Amino acid sequence: MSAPAGTIHIYNTLTRRKEPLATIEPGRVRMYVCGVTPYDAAHIGHGMSTTVFDVIRRYLEHRGYAVRHVQNFTDIDDKIIARANAEGIDPNELTEGLIAQWHAETAVLNALPATVYPRATQEVGPIVAMIEGLIANGHAYEVEGDVYYKVRSFPDYGKLSGRDLDDLLSGARIEVDERKADPLDFALWKAAKPGEPSWQSPWGPGRPGWHIECSAMSSTYLDGEVDIHGGGADLIFPHHENEIAQSEAFLGRQPFARYWVHNGLVRLGGEKMSKSLGNFVRLREILDRGLGPAFRLMVLQGHYRAPLTYTEEGLLAAERGLGRLRAAADPAPNGLPSDPVPPGLGTPAGPTGADLEQAAAEADRGFHEAMDDDFNAPVAVAALFDLARVVNRARAEGTPPGAVEPARRKLVELAGVLGLTLDPLTPDGAGDAGPFVDLLLKVRGELRAAKQWALSDMIRDELAGLGIAVEDTAQGASWERRRG
RNA sequence: GGCGCCAUAGCCAAGCGGUAAGGCACGGGUUUGCAAAACCCUGAUCGGCGGUUCGAAUCCGCCUGGCGCCUCCA
């Protein structure tokens, strides 16, 4: 095992600086990541966010923290109601299906499941209680069945997004609702319109506003105080700003969350990808092609706070790179058995076991230094590639498998910390065709033995056309299914 | 109009004061019956102009070009 020693530093959107991680409880991290509003299929922006926070969580756990990871579903809102109406189904039916799909897709992405997945519709009690508290302490008011948050009552409003209330007003893109005391006030509770799903409340039937559910759920599931509060950069304003206003006004203390962490947004064609712009790629399109791992690597090769420019070319480049890592991580490359020769003994050629152990130690150190520094995954990944090169070179130069093994294991271990599984592709992916491919290659082996090059090459070319890559080695032919 | 971010080799992308990580692609090799895979070699002075400094891609100013938020959004 590795023995990381440094302190983890995290960039905090609130202070705009990297800060050493100091958790509320030693050895424990309370992490709240804003989940989705399930009204449509997940796109790759959700995939990026999921991957980013999965890696953060995995790394924290790797460093010994017990992470309580809460991720919500905001399963009631205008868009859900509109979509359900359009499809002629109940909103619950819509969200149930999409939430099930979400779980399936994030599992394929190899994201660890959250500790808890609370849903807004199942937390109405705590939500109502919080709104009542905000009215009681003067931070909210009711108007005709709606309840609004009084933005001017919270002096710190704007501290997360760096905004000034008067500047916001001059933005002038806020709809004027004469019933609100201030145009910037936002809804905590919306009175039900005819035909809409609703819950009973002291202000009549209605439903929660957009931001209050996260305040209530983080309070309920993380005892009102959060270590890491995360989400996409597009949530900084107004969502997280409003969450702070609600939670800190309600709890009467601050900070409600210590570290605000935001991932950069996926760009497509030079601009932000989003459902509202209509320029999105569904996550499923990538997963169905078996490129989930490549997607993860693509995300990891950029910094989590920087925007990620998504292109098909970039995804395939990641898949190629992943292939190299997989080759190095393969315990029995090209059919070679990984014999149990002790490291450092009688190495006839190539780097010695000691060389490889040193390379593994260097990779380990580089990896942890990078990840400790605000989860600098691209640098950590570079350490993986460096180690992979050392492993492949050693094999090429004749270092015995046993001497290579420690470095190979280190590669698999570190990749695993990032959620990258480096299993070889060979067995899966071809389904029932596997035995037939084996048979063809057996025949081809006979042809090659007889130097029937034209025929044997034809078999190889035809298989390539079917997406099966054949490689000849000293130990015979191996094959794998190409992804992409 | 307000707030903020970015501009690094063909593409993607780290670095954030001491003389440019990594990935993909391209080209040249080694290996191979030929391939593939793997390995080796090869490429940038960091958008432009000034300034600070012994020293700047890294700090400051201006310019140009992108982008995000201010409205639902991971």
Side-chain angles (χ1 to χ4, degrees), chain A residues 48 54 56 68 76 93 112 138 153 165 168 176 178 200 221 260 271 281 346 350 362 376 380 398 400 404 422 433:
Chain A
M48 173 174 182
D54 180 60
I56 288 175
R68 182 167 174 80
I76 181 66
E93 191 181 337
L112 297 170
S153 76
L165 279 174
L168 280 171
V176 178
E178 296 300 335
Q200 282 307 314
Y221 292 96
W260 287 90
E271 58 183 6
V281 176
E362 279 174 19
N376 195 335
V404 174
L422 299 182

PDB file of all heavy atoms in Angstrom, chain A residues 48 54 56 68 76 93 112 138 153 165 168 176 178 200 221 260 271 281 346 350 362 376 380 398 400 404 422 433:
ATOM      1  N   MET A  48     -19.848  14.173 -16.386  1.00  0.00           N
ATOM      2  CA  MET A  48     -18.627  14.801 -15.900  1.00  0.00           C
ATOM      3  C   MET A  48     -18.740  15.090 -14.409  1.00  0.00           C
ATOM      4  O   MET A  48     -17.850  14.773 -13.635  1.00  0.00           O
ATOM      5  CB  MET A  48     -18.358  16.108 -16.644  1.00  0.00           C
ATOM      6  CG  MET A  48     -17.174  16.877 -16.043  1.00  0.00           C
ATOM      7  SD  MET A  48     -16.716  18.323 -16.993  1.00  0.00           S
ATOM      8  CE  MET A  48     -15.285  18.907 -16.042  1.00  0.00           C
ATOM      9  N   ASP A  54     -17.128  11.627  -7.914  1.00  0.00           N
ATOM     10  CA  ASP A  54     -16.791  10.242  -7.586  1.00  0.00           C
ATOM     11  C   ASP A  54     -15.290  10.119  -7.330  1.00  0.00           C
ATOM     12  O   ASP A  54     -14.867   9.430  -6.399  1.00  0.00           O
ATOM     13  CB  ASP A  54     -17.199   9.320  -8.740  1.00  0.00           C
ATOM     14  CG  ASP A  54     -16.870   7.862  -8.435  1.00  0.00           C
ATOM     15  OD1 ASP A  54     -17.403   7.341  -7.437  1.00  0.00           O
ATOM     16  OD2 ASP A  54     -16.071   7.258  -9.168  1.00  0.00           O
ATOM     17  N   ILE A  56     -13.255  12.542  -6.371  1.00  0.00           N
ATOM     18  CA  ILE A  56     -12.959  13.235  -5.115  1.00  0.00           C
ATOM     19  C   ILE A  56     -13.285  12.317  -3.938  1.00  0.00           C
ATOM     20  O   ILE A  56     -12.499  12.147  -3.016  1.00  0.00           O
ATOM     21  CB  ILE A  56     -13.757  14.555  -5.028  1.00  0.00           C
ATOM     22  CG1 ILE A  56     -13.170  15.582  -6.002  1.00  0.00           C
ATOM     23  CG2 ILE A  56     -13.747  15.099  -3.591  1.00  0.00           C
ATOM     24  CD1 ILE A  56     -13.941  16.883  -6.094  1.00  0.00           C
ATOM     25  N   ARG A  68     -19.447  10.413   4.035  1.00  0.00           N
ATOM     26  CA  ARG A  68     -20.903  10.296   3.955  1.00  0.00           C
ATOM     27  C   ARG A  68     -21.331  11.161   2.787  1.00  0.00           C
ATOM     28  O   ARG A  68     -21.212  12.380   2.813  1.00  0.00           O
ATOM     29  CB  ARG A  68     -21.557  10.774   5.243  1.00  0.00           C
ATOM     30  CG  ARG A  68     -23.077  10.631   5.227  1.00  0.00           C
ATOM     31  CD  ARG A  68     -23.668  10.810   6.617  1.00  0.00           C
ATOM     32  NE  ARG A  68     -25.128  10.826   6.583  1.00  0.00           N
ATOM     33  CZ  ARG A  68     -25.885   9.730   6.509  1.00  0.00           C
ATOM     34  NH1 ARG A  68     -25.327   8.548   6.459  1.00  0.00           N
ATOM     35  NH2 ARG A  68     -27.208   9.834   6.477  1.00  0.00           N
ATOM     36  N   ILE A  76     -39.485  17.197  -8.114  1.00  0.00           N
ATOM     37  CA  ILE A  76     -40.726  17.932  -8.396  1.00  0.00           C
ATOM     38  C   ILE A  76     -40.336  19.350  -8.796  1.00  0.00           C
ATOM     39  O   ILE A  76     -39.559  20.002  -8.103  1.00  0.00           O
ATOM     40  CB  ILE A  76     -41.674  17.957  -7.178  1.00  0.00           C
ATOM     41  CG1 ILE A  76     -42.981  18.703  -7.516  1.00  0.00           C
ATOM     42  CG2 ILE A  76     -41.012  18.584  -5.948  1.00  0.00           C
ATOM     43  CD1 ILE A  76     -43.817  18.009  -8.560  1.00  0.00           C
ATOM     44  N   GLU A  93     -44.326   8.832 -12.228  1.00  0.00           N
ATOM     45  CA  GLU A  93     -43.943   7.783 -13.172  1.00  0.00           C
ATOM     46  C   GLU A  93     -42.724   8.242 -13.971  1.00  0.00           C
ATOM     47  O   GLU A  93     -41.785   7.474 -14.195  1.00  0.00           O
ATOM     48  CB  GLU A  93     -45.129   7.516 -14.101  1.00  0.00           C
ATOM     49  CG  GLU A  93     -44.985   6.288 -14.950  1.00  0.00           C
ATOM     50  CD  GLU A  93     -46.199   6.098 -15.856  1.00  0.00           C
ATOM     51  OE1 GLU A  93     -47.293   6.624 -15.530  1.00  0.00           O
ATOM     52  OE2 GLU A  93     -46.039   5.432 -16.905  1.00  0.00           O
ATOM     53  N   LEU A 112     -19.253   5.246  -7.585  1.00  0.00           N
ATOM     54  CA  LEU A 112     -19.751   4.592  -6.384  1.00  0.00           C
ATOM     55  C   LEU A 112     -21.111   5.177  -6.022  1.00  0.00           C
ATOM     56  O   LEU A 112     -21.323   6.379  -6.166  1.00  0.00           O
ATOM     57  CB  LEU A 112     -18.781   4.831  -5.221  1.00  0.00           C
ATOM     58  CG  LEU A 112     -17.378   4.249  -5.385  1.00  0.00           C
ATOM     59  CD1 LEU A 112     -16.466   4.769  -4.283  1.00  0.00           C
ATOM     60  CD2 LEU A 112     -17.441   2.729  -5.355  1.00  0.00           C
ATOM     61  N   GLY A 138     -38.027  35.995  10.511  1.00  0.00           N
ATOM     62  CA  GLY A 138     -38.032  37.225   9.727  1.00  0.00           C
ATOM     63  C   GLY A 138     -37.320  37.189   8.395  1.00  0.00           C
ATOM     64  O   GLY A 138     -37.097  38.221   7.774  1.00  0.00           O
ATOM     65  N   SER A 153     -32.813  40.524   3.817  1.00  0.00           N
ATOM     66  CA  SER A 153     -32.692  40.235   5.254  1.00  0.00           C
ATOM     67  C   SER A 153     -31.398  39.502   5.567  1.00  0.00           C
ATOM     68  O   SER A 153     -31.067  39.279   6.723  1.00  0.00           O
ATOM     69  CB  SER A 153     -33.876  39.375   5.710  1.00  0.00           C
ATOM     70  OG  SER A 153     -33.709  38.028   5.292  1.00  0.00           O
ATOM     71  N   LEU A 165     -26.160  42.952  -4.500  1.00  0.00           N
ATOM     72  CA  LEU A 165     -27.599  42.981  -4.746  1.00  0.00           C
ATOM     73  C   LEU A 165     -27.993  44.078  -5.729  1.00  0.00           C
ATOM     74  O   LEU A 165     -28.838  43.875  -6.582  1.00  0.00           O
ATOM     75  CB  LEU A 165     -28.342  43.188  -3.422  1.00  0.00           C
ATOM     76  CG  LEU A 165     -28.513  41.917  -2.592  1.00  0.00           C
ATOM     77  CD1 LEU A 165     -29.124  42.225  -1.243  1.00  0.00           C
ATOM     78  CD2 LEU A 165     -29.388  40.923  -3.340  1.00  0.00           C
ATOM     79  N   LEU A 168     -27.173  43.101  -9.200  1.00  0.00           N
ATOM     80  CA  LEU A 168     -28.125  42.121  -9.704  1.00  0.00           C
ATOM     81  C   LEU A 168     -29.369  42.817 -10.225  1.00  0.00           C
ATOM     82  O   LEU A 168     -29.906  42.463 -11.260  1.00  0.00           O
ATOM     83  CB  LEU A 168     -28.513  41.147  -8.582  1.00  0.00           C
ATOM     84  CG  LEU A 168     -27.505  40.039  -8.304  1.00  0.00           C
ATOM     85  CD1 LEU A 168     -27.891  39.292  -7.054  1.00  0.00           C
ATOM     86  CD2 LEU A 168     -27.428  39.104  -9.486  1.00  0.00           C
ATOM     87  N   VAL A 176     -40.749  40.929 -13.018  1.00  0.00           N
ATOM     88  CA  VAL A 176     -41.302  41.736 -11.937  1.00  0.00           C
ATOM     89  C   VAL A 176     -42.590  41.101 -11.441  1.00  0.00           C
ATOM     90  O   VAL A 176     -43.527  40.885 -12.190  1.00  0.00           O
ATOM     91  CB  VAL A 176     -41.591  43.175 -12.433  1.00  0.00           C
ATOM     92  CG1 VAL A 176     -42.205  43.982 -11.312  1.00  0.00           C
ATOM     93  CG2 VAL A 176     -40.300  43.814 -12.924  1.00  0.00           C
ATOM     94  N   GLU A 178     -45.193  41.904  -8.667  1.00  0.00           N
ATOM     95  CA  GLU A 178     -45.560  42.981  -7.744  1.00  0.00           C
ATOM     96  C   GLU A 178     -45.812  42.489  -6.325  1.00  0.00           C
ATOM     97  O   GLU A 178     -45.757  43.240  -5.371  1.00  0.00           O
ATOM     98  CB  GLU A 178     -46.816  43.706  -8.258  1.00  0.00           C
ATOM     99  CG  GLU A 178     -46.620  44.425  -9.585  1.00  0.00           C
ATOM    100  CD  GLU A 178     -45.531  45.503  -9.513  1.00  0.00           C
ATOM    101  OE1 GLU A 178     -45.269  46.015  -8.406  1.00  0.00           O
ATOM    102  OE2 GLU A 178     -44.923  45.787 -10.565  1.00  0.00           O
ATOM    103  N   GLN A 200     -49.850  19.442   1.481  1.00  0.00           N
ATOM    104  CA  GLN A 200     -50.468  20.378   2.412  1.00  0.00           C
ATOM    105  C   GLN A 200     -49.398  21.153   3.155  1.00  0.00           C
ATOM    106  O   GLN A 200     -48.302  20.647   3.407  1.00  0.00           O
ATOM    107  CB  GLN A 200     -51.349  19.628   3.416  1.00  0.00           C
ATOM    108  CG  GLN A 200     -52.694  19.219   2.832  1.00  0.00           C
ATOM    109  CD  GLN A 200     -53.446  20.382   2.197  1.00  0.00           C
ATOM    110  OE1 GLN A 200     -53.543  21.465   2.783  1.00  0.00           O
ATOM    111  NE2 GLN A 200     -53.965  20.173   0.981  1.00  0.00           N
ATOM    112  N   TYR A 221     -29.731  15.217   6.563  1.00  0.00           N
ATOM    113  CA  TYR A 221     -28.836  14.066   6.413  1.00  0.00           C
ATOM    114  C   TYR A 221     -27.395  14.323   6.816  1.00  0.00           C
ATOM    115  O   TYR A 221     -26.608  13.395   6.920  1.00  0.00           O
ATOM    116  CB  TYR A 221     -28.913  13.537   4.980  1.00  0.00           C
ATOM    117  CG  TYR A 221     -30.266  12.929   4.712  1.00  0.00           C
ATOM    118  CD1 TYR A 221     -31.278  13.668   4.095  1.00  0.00           C
ATOM    119  CD2 TYR A 221     -30.570  11.638   5.142  1.00  0.00           C
ATOM    120  CE1 TYR A 221     -32.541  13.137   3.893  1.00  0.00           C
ATOM    121  CE2 TYR A 221     -31.818  11.090   4.952  1.00  0.00           C
ATOM    122  CZ  TYR A 221     -32.808  11.843   4.326  1.00  0.00           C
ATOM    123  OH  TYR A 221     -34.055  11.308   4.149  1.00  0.00           O
ATOM    124  N   TRP A 260     -16.890  24.882  -0.798  1.00  0.00           N
ATOM    125  CA  TRP A 260     -17.779  24.832  -1.964  1.00  0.00           C
ATOM    126  C   TRP A 260     -16.943  24.425  -3.161  1.00  0.00           C
ATOM    127  O   TRP A 260     -15.959  25.091  -3.511  1.00  0.00           O
ATOM    128  CB  TRP A 260     -18.439  26.192  -2.191  1.00  0.00           C
ATOM    129  CG  TRP A 260     -19.487  26.465  -1.159  1.00  0.00           C
ATOM    130  CD1 TRP A 260     -19.326  27.077   0.039  1.00  0.00           C
ATOM    131  CD2 TRP A 260     -20.872  26.097  -1.241  1.00  0.00           C
ATOM    132  NE1 TRP A 260     -20.519  27.117   0.720  1.00  0.00           N
ATOM    133  CE2 TRP A 260     -21.489  26.526  -0.045  1.00  0.00           C
ATOM    134  CE3 TRP A 260     -21.659  25.447  -2.211  1.00  0.00           C
ATOM    135  CZ2 TRP A 260     -22.843  26.332   0.213  1.00  0.00           C
ATOM    136  CZ3 TRP A 260     -23.013  25.266  -1.953  1.00  0.00           C
ATOM    137  CH2 TRP A 260     -23.591  25.697  -0.747  1.00  0.00           C
ATOM    138  N   GLU A 271     -19.473  26.195 -27.109  1.00  0.00           N
ATOM    139  CA  GLU A 271     -20.280  26.790 -26.052  1.00  0.00           C
ATOM    140  C   GLU A 271     -20.765  25.730 -25.079  1.00  0.00           C
ATOM    141  O   GLU A 271     -20.644  24.533 -25.322  1.00  0.00           O
ATOM    142  CB  GLU A 271     -21.467  27.567 -26.629  1.00  0.00           C
ATOM    143  CG  GLU A 271     -22.376  26.732 -27.478  1.00  0.00           C
ATOM    144  CD  GLU A 271     -23.503  27.550 -28.096  1.00  0.00           C
ATOM    145  OE1 GLU A 271     -23.500  28.799 -27.938  1.00  0.00           O
ATOM    146  OE2 GLU A 271     -24.376  26.959 -28.728  1.00  0.00           O
ATOM    147  N   VAL A 281     -25.236  15.867 -25.645  1.00  0.00           N
ATOM    148  CA  VAL A 281     -24.981  14.471 -25.990  1.00  0.00           C
ATOM    149  C   VAL A 281     -25.418  13.644 -24.795  1.00  0.00           C
ATOM    150  O   VAL A 281     -24.999  13.892 -23.664  1.00  0.00           O
ATOM    151  CB  VAL A 281     -23.481  14.231 -26.247  1.00  0.00           C
ATOM    152  CG1 VAL A 281     -23.209  12.757 -26.502  1.00  0.00           C
ATOM    153  CG2 VAL A 281     -23.008  15.074 -27.429  1.00  0.00           C
ATOM    154  N   GLY A 346      18.222 -12.479 -10.294  1.00  0.00           N
ATOM    155  CA  GLY A 346      18.662 -13.003 -11.569  1.00  0.00           C
ATOM    156  C   GLY A 346      17.985 -12.422 -12.786  1.00  0.00           C
ATOM    157  O   GLY A 346      17.450 -13.169 -13.592  1.00  0.00           O
ATOM    158  N   GLY A 350      17.272  -6.001 -19.198  1.00  0.00           N
ATOM    159  CA  GLY A 350      16.256  -4.999 -18.904  1.00  0.00           C
ATOM    160  C   GLY A 350      16.390  -4.466 -17.503  1.00  0.00           C
ATOM    161  O   GLY A 350      17.263  -4.866 -16.728  1.00  0.00           O
ATOM    162  N   GLU A 362       8.086   6.230  -7.304  1.00  0.00           N
ATOM    163  CA  GLU A 362       8.016   7.580  -7.869  1.00  0.00           C
ATOM    164  C   GLU A 362       6.615   7.896  -8.363  1.00  0.00           C
ATOM    165  O   GLU A 362       6.092   8.987  -8.153  1.00  0.00           O
ATOM    166  CB  GLU A 362       9.005   7.717  -9.034  1.00  0.00           C
ATOM    167  CG  GLU A 362      10.425   7.985  -8.596  1.00  0.00           C
ATOM    168  CD  GLU A 362      11.389   7.956  -9.788  1.00  0.00           C
ATOM    169  OE1 GLU A 362      10.929   8.095 -10.934  1.00  0.00           O
ATOM    170  OE2 GLU A 362      12.595   7.782  -9.546  1.00  0.00           O
ATOM    171  N   ASN A 376      -5.602  17.232  -8.485  1.00  0.00           N
ATOM    172  CA  ASN A 376      -5.055  17.496  -9.809  1.00  0.00           C
ATOM    173  C   ASN A 376      -4.912  16.185 -10.586  1.00  0.00           C
ATOM    174  O   ASN A 376      -3.821  15.657 -10.777  1.00  0.00           O
ATOM    175  CB  ASN A 376      -3.707  18.218  -9.679  1.00  0.00           C
ATOM    176  CG  ASN A 376      -3.266  18.827 -10.985  1.00  0.00           C
ATOM    177  OD1 ASN A 376      -3.673  18.366 -12.051  1.00  0.00           O
ATOM    178  ND2 ASN A 376      -2.451  19.866 -10.919  1.00  0.00           N
ATOM    179  N   ALA A 380      -1.893  13.394 -11.929  1.00  0.00           N
ATOM    180  CA  ALA A 380      -1.912  12.031 -11.389  1.00  0.00           C
ATOM    181  C   ALA A 380      -1.965  11.013 -12.527  1.00  0.00           C
ATOM    182  O   ALA A 380      -1.297   9.980 -12.493  1.00  0.00           O
ATOM    183  CB  ALA A 380      -3.116  11.855 -10.459  1.00  0.00           C
ATOM    184  N   GLY A 398      13.020  -7.569 -21.637  1.00  0.00           N
ATOM    185  CA  GLY A 398      13.315  -8.884 -21.100  1.00  0.00           C
ATOM    186  C   GLY A 398      13.329  -9.031 -19.596  1.00  0.00           C
ATOM    187  O   GLY A 398      13.762 -10.055 -19.071  1.00  0.00           O
ATOM    188  N   PRO A 400      12.083 -10.189 -16.247  1.00  0.00           N
ATOM    189  CA  PRO A 400      11.152 -11.282 -15.918  1.00  0.00           C
ATOM    190  C   PRO A 400       9.848 -10.735 -15.337  1.00  0.00           C
ATOM    191  O   PRO A 400       9.872  -9.753 -14.590  1.00  0.00           O
ATOM    192  CB  PRO A 400      11.912 -12.096 -14.862  1.00  0.00           C
ATOM    193  CG  PRO A 400      13.333 -11.695 -15.006  1.00  0.00           C
ATOM    194  CD  PRO A 400      13.350 -10.304 -15.508  1.00  0.00           C
ATOM    195  N   VAL A 404       8.598  -7.442 -12.731  1.00  0.00           N
ATOM    196  CA  VAL A 404       7.747  -6.359 -13.209  1.00  0.00           C
ATOM    197  C   VAL A 404       6.521  -6.203 -12.310  1.00  0.00           C
ATOM    198  O   VAL A 404       5.957  -5.117 -12.176  1.00  0.00           O
ATOM    199  CB  VAL A 404       7.290  -6.635 -14.662  1.00  0.00           C
ATOM    200  CG1 VAL A 404       6.288  -5.595 -15.126  1.00  0.00           C
ATOM    201  CG2 VAL A 404       8.495  -6.686 -15.589  1.00  0.00           C
ATOM    202  N   LEU A 422      -8.635  -1.352 -15.064  1.00  0.00           N
ATOM    203  CA  LEU A 422      -7.787  -1.681 -16.213  1.00  0.00           C
ATOM    204  C   LEU A 422      -7.869  -3.141 -16.617  1.00  0.00           C
ATOM    205  O   LEU A 422      -6.869  -3.762 -16.941  1.00  0.00           O
ATOM    206  CB  LEU A 422      -6.328  -1.295 -15.902  1.00  0.00           C
ATOM    207  CG  LEU A 422      -6.106   0.198 -15.631  1.00  0.00           C
ATOM    208  CD1 LEU A 422      -4.628   0.483 -15.379  1.00  0.00           C
ATOM    209  CD2 LEU A 422      -6.620   1.041 -16.794  1.00  0.00           C
ATOM    210  N   ALA A 433     -19.849 -14.824 -29.938  1.00  0.00           N
ATOM    211  CA  ALA A 433     -18.945 -15.038 -31.066  1.00  0.00           C
ATOM    212  C   ALA A 433     -17.572 -15.524 -30.617  1.00  0.00           C
ATOM    213  O   ALA A 433     -16.802 -16.027 -31.423  1.00  0.00           O
ATOM    214  CB  ALA A 433     -18.799 -13.757 -31.871  1.00  0.00           C
TER     215      ALA A 433
END
